[in-house]
Amino acid sequence: MSRHSAAELRVRGFGPLTGIGDEAAPGTDGQLAALRRLGWNAIELRTVDGTALADLSAAAFDTLARRLAETGVTVTAVASRIGNWSRPITGDLGQDLAELDVLAERCATLGCRLVRIMSYPNDGLTETEWADRVLARTAVLADRAERAGLVLVHENCAGWAGDRADRALRLLRAVESPALRLLFDTGNGVPYGYRAPDMLRDLAPYVVHVHIKDAVRTPDGGTAYTLPGEGEAGVVECLELLAAHGYIGALSLEPHLAVRPHEGLAWAGEDAADLFVRAGQALAGLLGAGQSVTGPLDGSV
């Protein structure tokens, strides 16, 4: 489907529209305010005031949980740092297990089961050694998650299985656990150099959570992020593929318009909430659930 016809898409049957709150604002109140502007009542948690969910003090987490309960906002998933771009395969597995243990307790309080993970960037190992360690580590993590009632969702992002469908499928087969499934991010193909819809065709049956972002390649080979449906990531085609496979999970907005942790841009600025809301409105428009927002974003393309 062309960019011009993207707004004509009418897909029903997906789960709630949600988003990673810290892309709109650092603090809980700002994150919830952005959701209210969109009319959404679900959130994906990553950080609060710049602190990862697992690192919040007990008092700070209690305050967060109380605010969510008071406002009736549910938590669809938590975005952990397990295996992500900052934790290479040669790092300490104990760090990831400790984070998972904390998140297990906090997810129980929040009524959430999905925990985002990645599959470890390489750090000088051979391809075979890298693969073996990733498979072994993920099996340990999945076993711990299953016993805690969690489901790890591996994202097509940093790590051994991040940019190749065959590796993601091999990871699932090797671990063979109901506690390991896939998270598909529609926008990651642009910076990582693959077509997201092509990858999704192979992975769709195993996807239980979805991130929505869009992007274009810049003349210098970099990546600029856009409103959903306005870039080159194939967001509409991905939505159609997910619908065709009966996907009924959440669509979680991670627009990267104001916050890009992997680039060191980890703190939402004054315009972040407005950009987040515009991206959410654009997504709703693609789904026929609201007015699509089009046009350039300052500094994005």
Side-chain angles (χ1 to χ4, degrees):
M1 183 175 286
S2 71
R3 185 182 304 182
H4 295 293
S5 61
E8 299 171 6
L9 180 69
R10 296 295 183 269
V11 176
R12 303 297 183 183
F14 292 129
L17 297 182
T18 180
I20 299 180
D22 65 14
E23 299 243 342
T28 302
D29 288 344
Q31 295 182 26
L32 294 176
L35 292 177
R36 283 195 301 272
R37 289 171 62 184
L38 287 164
W40 297 356
N41 62 0
I43 193 170
E44 181 170 345
L45 295 173
R46 183 167 58 194
T47 67
V48 176
D49 292 323
T51 300
L53 182 63
D55 292 348
L56 292 176
S57 68
F61 175 72
D62 288 345
T63 299
L64 168 64
R66 184 171 62 252
R67 288 287 291 122
L68 293 172
E70 289 170 351
T71 55
V73 172
T74 60
V75 179
T76 55
V78 300
S80 82
R81 296 160 293 180
I82 295 170
N84 81 354
W85 46 269
S86 67
R87 295 186 179 177
I89 190 60
T90 53
D92 180 13
L93 175 59
Q95 185 179 26
D96 287 335
L97 291 171
E99 180 167 355
L100 183 57
D101 287 344
V102 174
L103 290 178
E105 295 180 1
R106 296 187 167 181
C107 283
T109 299
L110 297 170
C112 168
R113 297 185 64 219
L114 302 184
V115 176
R116 188 278 305 273
I117 69 167
M118 297 180 197
S119 53
Y120 299 97
N122 200 0
D123 188 24
L125 303 181
T126 67
E127 289 289 320
T128 299
E129 290 173 322
W130 184 23
D132 289 346
R133 290 200 191 187
V134 167
L135 298 176
R137 282 190 173 207
T138 308
V140 172
L141 289 161
D143 178 69
R144 184 80 62 99
E146 184 174 4
R147 286 186 277 117
L150 299 176
V151 177
L152 305 179
V153 287
H154 174 270
E155 182 176 354
N156 54 316
C157 190
W160 177 77
D163 61 357
R164 286 178 48 175
D166 61 332
R167 288 184 174 179
L169 293 172
R170 181 181 170 192
L171 183 66
L172 291 172
R173 288 194 301 267
V175 175
E176 198 176 4
S177 169
L180 179 65
R181 289 295 181 266
L182 300 181
L183 182 166
F184 194 81
D185 188 306
T186 63
N188 283 346
V190 175
Y192 283 93
Y194 61 86
R195 285 199 76 248
D198 293 344
M199 175 183 277
L200 182 58
R201 284 188 183 89
D202 294 326
L203 301 182
Y206 309 99
V207 172
V208 299
H209 192 57
V210 170
H211 284 172
I212 299 293
K213 69 166 62 80
D214 206 345
V216 296
R217 296 294 286 182
T218 57
D220 63 359
T223 301
Y225 293 92
T226 72
L227 294 173
E230 290 296 305
E232 302 167 352
V235 173
V236 171
E237 192 175 350
C238 287
L239 290 171
E240 291 175 329
L241 285 166
L242 289 163
H245 279 84
Y247 176 77
I248 58 173
L251 300 178
S252 185
L253 187 67
E254 188 192 15
H256 274 10
L257 297 173
V259 174
R260 295 183 291 280
H262 62 289
E263 297 178 10
L265 185 60
W267 191 267
E270 292 183 1
D271 62 345
D274 289 340
L275 292 170
F276 185 90
V277 169
R278 288 184 66 192
Q281 290 169 336
L283 172 58
L286 294 181
L287 299 170
Q291 180 63 43
S292 180
V293 178
T294 59
L297 292 172
D298 294 340
S300 65
V301 291

